[in-house]
Amino acid sequence: MRAFVVTIDGPAGVGKSTVGRRVAAELGLPFLDTGLFYRVLALAAAETHTEPEAAAKLARGLEIEINTEPLAPEDSWRARLGSRELGAALWAPGNSALLAKIAAQPEVRSVLLPRQRRLGRGGVVAVGRDTGSTVFPEAACKVYLDAPVEVRMERRRSELARLGMASPHSVVRDDLEERDRRDRTRVAGPLVVPQGALVVDTTSIPAAEVVARVLQRCRALGRQPIAPGSDR
Ligand code: DC
C-alpha cells in the first residue's frame, strides 16, 4: 500500500504544528516539522559565524536528526545536532533574520530536501512552507492554513511565553511580517497554496475543529484514524 502523506503548509504562527501533531497522533503517523531543519542550520551557522551564502556547505557536513514523535512532551528535544539535543533554543528570536536568509538559499533547500523526503518514506504528516508543493508533491492530502498577521502574532507570543521567552508585540509582529515577505517572495520553495489543497482560515476556528476537518478529508481519501490503544 502506498505510504499516506499529509502536508500542512502556511505562514508562520498559523498553528501548523499544533494541528499537524494532533493529526499525526490520530492517524498513527510520524510528525515532521520541516522548519526544524532550517532552525538547526541557522543555529549552527550563528555559532560558527557562517554567512548565509556558505550555509549549504555547512549543512552538507551536519548530522541533523529530527524528533518525529507526535506526542513528544513539550520539554523534550526537537532536533539533534550530532549528539547535542536541541529544544527551546531553536525558537530564540535573535536568529530570525539569519534563518530567513538561510531558508532562501536554493542550495540549502536542495541539500535538505532529500533528508526531509527520507523521513516521509513510510507515511508522514509534514508541516512547513513548501511541503505540499515541493517536498511531497504526490501527497494524498494537502492542507493550507491561513490567518491574518495580528492573529498569528498573538499565537506566536503565547507560544514563546510558554517556552519562557516573553516578547513585545512589535518584535513578534515585525518578525512575522519579515518572514512572511521572505517566505512568499523567494525563488526556491516559496510559500504557495498547493494545488488541490484544503484551505482553512483558522482565525475563529479552534485547533480541535481544524484537526477534525483535516481528519475528515483524510477519511474521505481512505485513511482512518487509529483506534485508541492501537499501535499501528
Ligand atoms: O515553521 P517555522 O517558523 O519553524 O520555520 C522556520 C524557518 O524555516 C522559517 O523562516 C521558514 C523556513 N521554512 C522553509 O523555508 N520551508 C519549510 N518547509 C519550513 C520552514
Side-chain angles (χ1 to χ4, degrees), residues 54-157:
K57 186 160 178 252
L58 176 66
R60 274 190 207 100
L62 294 182
E63 201 187 306
I64 301 174
E65 186 187 345
I66 304 295
N67 187 344
T68 59
E69 167 53 60
L71 299 176
E74 188 126 331
D75 60 352
S76 63
W77 64 277
R78 298 289 160 192
R80 281 200 188 106
L81 179 54
S83 60
R84 187 170 144 209
E85 298 191 339
L86 299 167
L90 294 169
W91 283 272
N95 281 346
S96 264
L98 180 63
L99 182 58
K101 284 184 195 153
I102 283 178
Q105 303 286 319
E107 254 194 274
V108 164
R109 305 194 75 86
S110 36
V111 172
L112 298 181
L113 188 63
R115 302 191 192 183
Q116 295 171 349
R117 285 192 175 143
R118 219 171 295 135
L119 289 176
R121 259 190 319 222
V124 76
V125 176
V127 304
R129 305 294 188 285
D130 62 343
T131 61
S133 57
T134 308
V135 187
F136 300 110
E138 313 275 304
C141 178
K142 298 184 184 184
V143 179
Y144 185 90
L145 302 183
D146 211 352
V149 71
E150 290 298 330
V151 173
R152 293 186 281 119
M153 177 194 66
E154 283 309 331
R155 288 186 192 155
R156 184 48 57 102
R157 282 188 74 228

Side-chain angles (χ1 to χ4, degrees), residues 12 16 33-35 38-39 91 99-100 103 109 128-131 156 179 183 186:
K16 301 181 295 290
D33 178 352
T34 56
Y38 299 97
R39 287 184 179 275
W91 283 272
L99 182 58
R109 305 194 75 86
R129 305 294 188 285
D130 62 343
T131 61
R156 184 48 57 102
R179 286 207 288 141
D183 286 343
R186 67 171 169 245

